Amino acid sequence: MQSANRSATTQTDASVVEARDVTMRFGGLTAVGGMSIALRRGEILGLIGPNGAGKTTLFNLLAGSLKPTAGAIRLGGADISHEGPERRIARGLGRTFQIPRPFSEMTVLENVLTGGQAQAGEQIWSNFLRPGRVAAQETAAVDKARALLDFVTLSALEGEPARVLSGGQRKLLELARVLMADPDILLLDEPAAGVNPTLLEFIIARVMDLNASGKSILLIEHNMDVVARLCSRVVVMAAGKHLAEGAPAAVARDPAVIEAYLGDVA
Amino acid sequence: MSVELVSYGAFFLTIALTYAIMCLGLNVQWGQTGLFNVGVAGFVAIGAYVSAILTTPATESHLGGYGMPIVIGWLGGALAAALISFLIGALTIRLRADYLAIATFGVAVVVQLCALNLEPVTGGPFGIGFIPRPFAGLAGSPLAFSLLNLGVLIAVVAAVYLSLERLVRSPWGRVLRAIREDETAAFALGKNAVRFRLQAFAIGGGVMGLAGAVHAHFIGFVAPDNYVPILTFQVWAMLIVGGSGNNRGAILGAVLVWGVWTASAAAISVLFPPEQQARAAALQIVMVGLALCAVLLLRPRGLLGEVRVVSRYLDPSARRFPAQEIATDARKP
Ligand SMILES: Nc1ncnc2c1ncn2[C@@H]1O[C@H](COP(=O)(O)OP(=O)(O)O)[C@@H](O)[C@H]1O
Ligand SMILES: [Mg+2]
């Protein structure tokens, strides 16, 4: 906290996670080309841009699912470009997927339990040598997972296999699952896309709750209303590059942004 | 009931239970983790040969023997197979699933060729005989001998089963299941998929090695011909019939498929004239194949399907997949 105050003058130092001039090429296609973005401590930052702009690819770079062709990812000041996703979540960086990826044949509750970090029961030997500790941790994890299911209103479905969930419920499940890891930073890829209006309001409220509880959130979202309500700041991406940045209202008026979106529609 | 019948029943079950151990090993790899091992026979052979070399009396005809206690042989066989599985896995498990399959097939072929040609170590085509049998001193009274042997096998299967249940129905097993379902998502949740798959592959291989060692001590000899692809086929059939992903299913499937195998052997010896019996033996494979098809048609998830709830710390009202459940008709009341 102290360091955040001290360095509030420079944007990069206050950032919790940051992409510096990253490029990602898939063969001949440059999905992300020299993009920089910094998420500041405690904010909800919106990331918008036309389809195919490279937003999800940028998330994959931040979360470690992809390694950048060039450029660096920094987390809390450390260069983590070469760490895999499993290391980054241990550092408090959690992400959801644009298309939810539940473990379909596992129950809703066990999907959430899988998000737990540093479980003794995930070590082979602990299951034989320290069964008491494994049992105690698992009991605590189950309580926590049930509370998270309550938070996303999926409690009634805890014993069902995840494949029976609707699209919106899958997004909620994925949110609960990543929250199980207690991330400080959340990367949410279109958490409200394609959900009904009631659920949309619910998700907005939950994102606000999470932010109020201290989490820094980077959010990809197409609905400018939602962005305006949630985000203090927006970064616009187009064709793999940083196009504009600022308050949602200002960005929405920016001619370059409007043109990028119109180009997408045409 | 005649003594012969009981002895025969005990002998049958003893052998069936050695297959059950192989099947439990494959279940860790395939059933829990989705690792496609088509070289089961190779890992079984490693355990069998290592145990044979460790426990047989000193000889000129192969490496060793070192005359060690049977238990040491079994542990040595299991450890050797686990170690080799670990090495194979470390080289190939990062690759796509089909490369692992090819690698395991390669292992089986290489092991068999080594068994056949590395005569100073393995005894070559004649293999290794005079492998000590548990309770050999009792061989004079066949009933006690076969019942005690069955008891040993039941104890070994129970120990393997309980250990695997403890392991698989734990957070560790839950990670395996998650990796099997969606490796990318599991990775994003902090699960190092490579590490877990490697562990599962090594444990499964070790269990197969143990099975090979135990099996060798009951039939009394090892030879290259024991560890051919048909063995791999049998173990796969056992697992699919019993229910992939279910340890009890693995045991049940082993006993049933071994039953089909021996029953069809008996039928062939009755129905075919002696000069045709060698060729008719191929019908055993056909019979197992038919049993496999029947089960796949009637109960696609095997006789005992996978239990959905992984963790044994959770409500034991764990429901099974209804055997005939169709994936699209998923919603339950
Ligand atoms: N794994 C991949 N392999 C090849 N091309 C990819 C891959 N992932 C994304 N792309 C391409 O990169 C571009 C950006 O995609 P994406 O990041 O999903 O955009 P957005 O999320 O902004 O809609 C698209 O042209 C897409 O087809
Ligand atoms: Mg996207």
Side-chain angles (χ1 to χ4, degrees):
Chain A
M1 281 302 111
Q2 215 184 4
S3 73
N5 290 339
R6 195 165 6 102
S7 51
T9 44
T10 61
Q11 177 178 321
T12 33
D13 285 2
S15 71
V16 284
V17 66
E18 189 186 350
R20 277 193 195 169
D21 207 17
V22 288
T23 294
M24 185 71 221
R25 284 193 204 96
F26 297 110
L29 177 92
T30 304
V32 174
M35 175 76 192
S36 295
I37 191 170
L39 175 67
R40 297 177 197 161
R41 189 178 303 280
E43 77 171 336
I44 305 181
L45 174 61
L47 176 60
I48 67 170
N51 284 322
K55 306 180 295 295
T56 296
T57 304
L58 181 62
F59 261 35
N60 286 333
L61 293 168
L62 288 168
S65 303
L66 291 173
K67 300 284 148 57
T69 315
I73 309 294
R74 299 180 70 84
L75 192 147
D79 188 339
I80 55 160
S81 308
H82 299 288
E83 287 186 1
E86 87 285 4
R87 295 275 311 119
R88 298 190 195 187
I89 190 157
R91 289 176 176 272
L93 177 72
R95 65 91 56 96
T96 63
F97 292 92
Q98 179 173 352
I99 298 158
R101 309 183 71 130
F103 305 120
S104 311
E105 296 300 334
M106 289 165 65
T107 66
V108 166
L109 179 61
E110 287 205 279
N111 262 270
V112 179
L113 284 168
T114 309
Q117 301 298 301
Q119 299 273 307
E122 288 179 7
Q123 310 287 333
I124 292 175
W125 294 114
S126 300
N127 286 295
F128 297 98
L129 302 180
R130 309 158 103 184
R133 171 141 181 233
V134 172
Q137 275 194 2
E138 180 80 347
T139 312
V142 169
D143 288 345
K144 182 173 166 189
R146 290 208 162 112
L148 286 169
L149 283 176
D150 198 40
F151 178 73
V152 298
T153 64
L154 288 179
S155 299
L157 297 168
E158 72 160 52
E160 297 297 321
R163 72 180 138 80
V164 311
L165 300 186
S166 70
Q169 287 171 332
R170 287 174 193 214
K171 286 184 184 264
L172 294 173
L173 173 61
E174 201 162 83
L175 182 61
R177 194 171 68 179
V178 72
L179 288 174
M180 190 73 190
D182 287 324
D184 305 321
I185 308 160
L186 276 173
L187 309 180
L188 306 179
D189 197 344
E190 305 200 19
V195 304
N196 67 52
T198 323
L199 190 51
L200 178 66
E201 286 306 316
F202 177 77
I203 290 175
I204 292 174
R206 279 334 193 195
V207 171
M208 285 174 167
D209 290 344
L210 291 169
N211 183 239
S213 75
K215 297 190 193 304
S216 316
I217 298 172
L218 176 58
L219 180 94
I220 298 177
E221 179 53 57
H222 282 296
N223 183 332
M224 271 313 278
D225 270 355
V226 175
V227 171
R229 285 169 63 189
L230 281 174
C231 308
S232 46
R233 206 160 64 91
V234 183
V235 169
V236 188
M237 230 182 138
K241 289 195 169 58
H242 184 289
L243 181 70
E245 182 168 341
V251 160
R253 285 192 307 268
D254 187 327
V257 174
I258 293 167
E259 201 198 310
Y261 269 93
L262 285 178
D264 178 45
V265 172
Chain B
M1 228 190 319
S2 76
V3 168
E4 285 85 53
L5 203 61
V6 174
S7 299
Y8 179 77
F11 175 75
F12 166 82
L13 269 183
T14 304
I15 297 297
L17 288 179
T18 62
Y19 285 99
I21 305 173
M22 296 175 206
C23 209
L24 284 167
L26 183 61
N27 194 32
V28 181
Q29 295 180 342
W30 170 250
Q32 312 295 342
T33 324
L35 298 169
F36 200 56
N37 183 345
V38 290
V40 175
F43 298 92
V44 172
I46 291 167
Y49 272 92
V50 168
S51 189
I53 289 167
L54 288 176
T55 56
T56 45
T59 170
E60 298 285 287
S61 59
H62 60 82
L63 181 67
Y66 298 104
M68 292 186 187
I70 293 175
V71 173
I72 302 290
W74 290 1
L75 290 178
L79 269 179
L83 195 70
I84 289 177
S85 304
F86 181 86
L87 293 176
I88 307 288
L91 291 174
T92 57
I93 227 154
R94 281 162 214 274
L95 306 175
R96 272 173 31 202
D98 30 356
Y99 292 119
L100 178 70
I102 292 166
T104 55
F105 187 70
V107 170
V109 172
V110 168
V111 168
Q112 224 238 345
L113 286 176
C114 287
L116 201 55
N117 296 303
L118 272 185
E119 243 184 279
V121 179
T122 63
F126 304 109
I128 300 176
F130 305 108
I131 299 176
R133 306 183 63 181
F135 308 109
L138 285 172
S141 69
L143 186 61
F145 178 70
S146 47
L147 285 179
L148 276 173
N149 274 320
L150 178 59
V152 169
L153 243 286
I154 289 174
V156 173
V157 170
V160 173
Y161 168 80
L162 291 174
S163 306
L164 288 180
E165 278 288 294
R166 168 163 288 230
L167 197 50
V168 159
R169 306 202 42 153
S170 74
W172 185 80
R174 188 162 56 220
V175 174
L176 294 190
R177 185 88 63 103
I179 290 168
R180 192 188 70 189
E181 298 257 325
D182 189 332
E183 189 179 325
T184 305
F187 222 0
L189 291 170
K191 314 306 172 193
N192 185 338
V194 171
R195 190 190 111 206
F196 283 95
R197 288 158 82 199
L198 198 49
Q199 289 175 341
F201 193 67
I203 289 175
V207 172
M208 289 174 193
L210 175 68
V214 172
H215 183 82
H217 286 263
F218 285 101
I219 58 173
F221 71 100
V222 293
D225 284 354
N226 295 358
Y227 309 104
V228 288
I230 288 178
L231 175 61
T232 300
F233 166 74
Q234 288 171 322
V235 178
W236 270 97
M238 289 165 178
L239 183 61
I240 292 166
V241 165
S244 184
N246 186 318
N247 285 326
R248 266 178 258 181
I251 298 171
L252 178 69
V255 174
L256 290 180
V257 170
W258 186 243
V260 171
W261 183 264
T262 41
S264 38
I268 287 165
S269 69
V270 173
L271 297 174
F272 288 87
E275 66 275 14
Q276 287 184 15
Q277 279 178 12
R279 258 190 290 167
L283 284 174
Q284 286 181 284
I285 299 172
V286 174
M287 293 310 292
V288 169
L290 284 178
L292 189 63
C293 291
V295 168
L296 284 176
L297 286 173
L298 298 173
R299 296 178 77 96
R301 291 176 187 277
L303 295 176
L304 302 179
E306 182 170 86
V307 177
R308 180 172 294 131
V309 172
V310 183
S311 172
R312 65 205 171 88
Y313 302 98
L314 289 173
D315 191 350
S317 73
R319 280 159 301 172
R320 254 190 219 126
F321 288 109
Q324 282 136 325
E325 188 181 348
I326 297 158
T328 48
D329 179 27
R331 225 171 265 270
K332 282 203 279 325

